[in-house]
Amino acid sequence: MVTGDVLPPSLAAGAGYLLARAGGRAISELNGALQDHGLRSRHYTVLVVAAEDGNRSQRDIGELLGIDPSAVVSIVDDLARSGLVRREPHPADRRSRRIVATEAGHTRLAELRSLAKAIDEELLGNLNAAERRTLLDLLRRVAHD
């Protein structure tokens, strides 16, 4: 916003607008930081899930993260080509494959987490520790009712 601009009251009071604006800013900044690594925010989130819970199928990851199944296939393909994840037979379902982070994926994720943390710090810089905890608790309730 241009300095001095004031949002119309209906937008300033609108949770949907404010959440979308904050989310858009967060994704834009994360995408900018990940660009040098040839990744985008969706690659990062899928890599996190593969590293922290390597027992999920592509479909499970899509449902968890709210990503369209066809987009998940493309994201996993990108990560696999980069050597960051691999598809393995799923022990509970022979028809599906689980997505697992490789050693290179874990190493890259350690680097990327510091970028994501720095962006979070910048985004939440105007909030004290208690306000951050409250905001994150409320966002979790809204995002995953």
Side-chain angles (χ1 to χ4, degrees), residues 20-104:
R21 178 73 186 245
R25 181 175 166 215
I27 288 171
S28 177
E29 292 185 22
L30 183 57
N31 282 339
L34 294 172
Q35 186 174 13
D36 289 342
H37 297 272
L39 302 172
R40 299 191 51 80
S41 61
R42 286 185 166 189
H43 294 103
Y44 175 75
T45 58
V46 170
L47 182 57
V48 168
V49 173
E52 293 182 8
D53 183 1
N55 204 34
R56 291 187 184 264
S57 68
Q58 288 179 167
R59 182 179 2 182
D60 294 339
I61 291 172
E63 289 174 8
L64 177 69
L65 299 176
I67 301 173
D68 182 82
S70 62
V72 175
V73 170
S74 177
I75 293 164
V76 171
D77 286 346
D78 291 345
L79 292 169
R81 270 192 300 276
S82 297
L84 303 177
V85 301
R86 67 179 175 272
R87 291 173 172 95
E88 293 183 348
H90 198 292
D93 182 357
R94 293 182 320 158
R95 298 167 297 150
S96 105
R97 303 185 56 79
R98 63 185 182 172
I99 308 306
V100 179
T102 63
E103 187 173 326

Side-chain angles (χ1 to χ4, degrees), residues 9-25:
S10 61
L11 289 180
Y17 169 78
L18 294 172
L19 286 167
R21 178 73 186 245
R25 181 175 166 215

